[in-house]
Amino acid sequence: MHPSLKPIVFWFMRFYARIVNFFFIKRLDKEGMHNISDSKPIIFAATHANSFYDAILLHCETKRYVHALARGDAFNNKAAAFILDLVHILPIWRITEGKQNMAKNAQTFDRCHELLKENKQVLIYPEGRCKNQTTLLPLKKMGTSSMALRAWREGIDVEVVPVVSTYSNFKSFGKRINLKVAKPLRKEEFDLDADPSEFAKKFTARLTEEMEPMIDHKFKPVGILRTLVFHFGVVLNAPLYLLVHLISKNKFGRTIFFDSVWYGLFYVLGGAYWTILFITIYHLFNA
C-alpha cells in the first residue's frame, strides 16, 4: 500500500471501529481526557485487561493516532502483520515466544523513540501481560521507565499518561466501561541522572500510585433511550451476534481473547452483514 493512502485507510478503519463500538458497548464513561495533550509526545501507560480491545478503545477515544505495542507472535502471520502495521501496532517479544526474538525488541523501542521525537503517541502496558483482572497487576520496572528515561535524557518533552480501563464483564457484548486518564508524569518530577535501576524503581512506584486508585467498578446505569436503541441493535444484528458469539465461545471461551475476538469478528463481518441486510430490505419494499 502506498504510504500516502495509509492515513485515509486508518481514518476509515477508526471511524468504522466507532460504529462497531456503538453495538458492542452499552455505556462508556470517560474521565480526565483533558489530561492528554493535543501536541506533545505521549507515552500511554495503560492497564491490559482485555487483550487487543484495550488498544482499540484508546484508538477510538483519542484525537491523534496511537502506536500500540502488541505481543510479537501475532506478527508471525503475514496477513495479520500487514493489518497490524496498518493500524500502527508494533511487536514486542517475550521470552516465551523464543529467545531468538528478544533482540528484535531493541528495534521496536528504537522505533518508539523515533515516534516520540515526531510528537507521536505510543501505548505500552506496564503490567507486562494481559489478564481479565479486576485489580492492577504489579507493574514491570523496565519497559515503560526505560522508554521515558531515554526520551527525557535526550531532551524529548514526553508526557507519561496513566490510563485505566475497567470493564463490567469480559464475556459478552453490551458491556459498560470506565475509561480514566490521570494527570501526566513529567520529567521535572524525577532525577534523570539517577542510576537507571533506581530511576525505574521510583518511576514505577509513582506510576502505580497514579493507576491504582483509578480502578473503578462502580458503573453508572444505562439510560432508557440508550437501552432501547441498544436492544433495537440486538434485534437488527441478531443473526450476526449469534454467529460471532458461537465462534468466539467455541474457540476462545476460556481465554483472555474472547472479548477481543468477538469484537474483531463483528468488525470484519459487520459491513458485509449490513450490506446484505440493506439490499434484502430494499428489495422487500420494492418488490
Side-chain angles (χ1 to χ4, degrees):
M1 178 182 293
H2 195 277
S4 63
L5 293 177
K6 275 191 175 184
I8 299 171
V9 173
F10 184 71
W11 177 89
F12 175 78
M13 291 179 72
R14 185 161 70 163
F15 174 76
Y16 179 58
R18 287 170 174 162
I19 295 174
V20 175
N21 265 341
F22 182 79
F23 297 101
F24 188 63
I25 301 170
K26 261 189 181 178
R27 178 170 182 139
L28 170 63
D29 286 288
K30 298 177 288 186
E31 182 181 308
M33 299 301 288
H34 62 278
N35 290 319
I36 303 173
S37 170
D38 291 337
S39 57
K40 288 188 176 183
I42 300 290
I43 297 174
F44 288 113
T47 50
H48 199 19
N50 210 0
S51 191
F52 64 77
Y53 185 75
D54 294 322
I56 292 170
L57 182 63
L58 204 57
H59 271 301
C60 290
E61 299 304 325
T62 53
K63 295 179 182 178
R64 295 185 287 155
Y65 300 154
V66 178
H67 299 259
L69 300 185
R71 50 190 296 169
D73 59 349
F75 289 76
N76 290 336
N77 181 286
K78 289 185 178 180
F82 173 79
I83 295 171
L84 292 170
D85 178 67
L86 191 64
V87 296
H88 305 298
I89 293 180
L90 304 168
I92 191 76
W93 301 87
R94 300 173 299 178
I95 190 67
T96 54
E97 291 153 11
K99 290 182 180 180
Q100 70 278 9
N101 291 315
M102 295 301 291
K104 299 176 184 177
N105 287 340
Q107 299 173 17
T108 295
F109 278 96
D110 285 344
R111 176 58 182 147
C112 290
H113 189 70
E114 292 304 312
L115 289 168
L116 295 174
K117 278 184 178 180
E118 298 167 8
N119 281 3
K120 302 290 177 63
Q121 300 184 134
V122 173
L123 168 61
I124 188 171
Y125 303 110
E127 292 168 306
R129 63 190 177 110
C130 177
K131 184 181 179 183
N132 291 157
Q133 80 273 19
T134 56
T135 58
L136 185 70
L137 299 177
L139 306 188
K140 303 295 183 183
K141 288 188 172 64
M142 295 312 296
T144 312
S145 66
S146 298
M147 188 184 294
L149 182 59
R150 180 183 177 186
W152 284 335
R153 280 182 171 178
E154 294 190 20
I156 303 172
D157 191 23
V158 66
E159 295 185 344
V160 181
V161 179
V163 177
V164 171
S165 304
T166 47
Y167 301 84
S168 60
N169 68 75
F170 297 102
K171 297 297 181 183
S172 70
F173 62 94
K175 63 185 82 279
R176 290 174 290 172
I177 303 173
N178 290 328
L179 175 62
K180 295 193 175 186
V181 179
K183 291 181 179 179
L185 278 61
R186 298 185 172 93
K187 61 184 178 182
E188 291 79 13
E189 301 179 43
F190 302 96
D191 178 9
L192 304 185
D193 295 322
D195 179 79
S197 61
E198 185 63 27
F199 172 87
K201 183 178 178 181
K202 292 182 178 179
F203 177 91
T204 305
R206 180 78 178 84
L207 191 56
T208 302
E209 186 181 288
E210 288 294 328
M211 295 178 75
E212 214 156 34
M214 291 198 292
I215 300 286
D216 180 12
H217 289 278
K218 295 178 181 178
F219 300 99
K220 294 180 181 178
V222 182
I224 295 174
L225 180 59
R226 174 58 182 142
T227 299
L228 289 173
V229 171
F230 181 81
H231 284 295
F232 172 77
V234 172
V235 173
L236 184 71
N237 298 305
L240 181 58
Y241 279 170
L242 181 61
L243 175 64
V244 166
H245 189 78
L246 287 174
I247 295 173
S248 302
K249 186 176 181 179
N250 184 47
K251 296 291 185 181
F252 301 94
R254 296 180 180 274
T255 74
I256 59 172
F257 306 110
F258 176 87
D259 231 19
S260 293
V261 170
W262 200 106
Y263 179 92
L265 286 172
F266 192 93
Y267 184 96
V268 171
L269 300 174
Y273 174 80
W274 293 327
T275 301
I276 294 170
L277 186 66
F278 174 80
I279 293 172
T280 302
I281 294 172
Y282 177 82
H283 281 292
L284 284 173
F285 280 94
N286 292 276

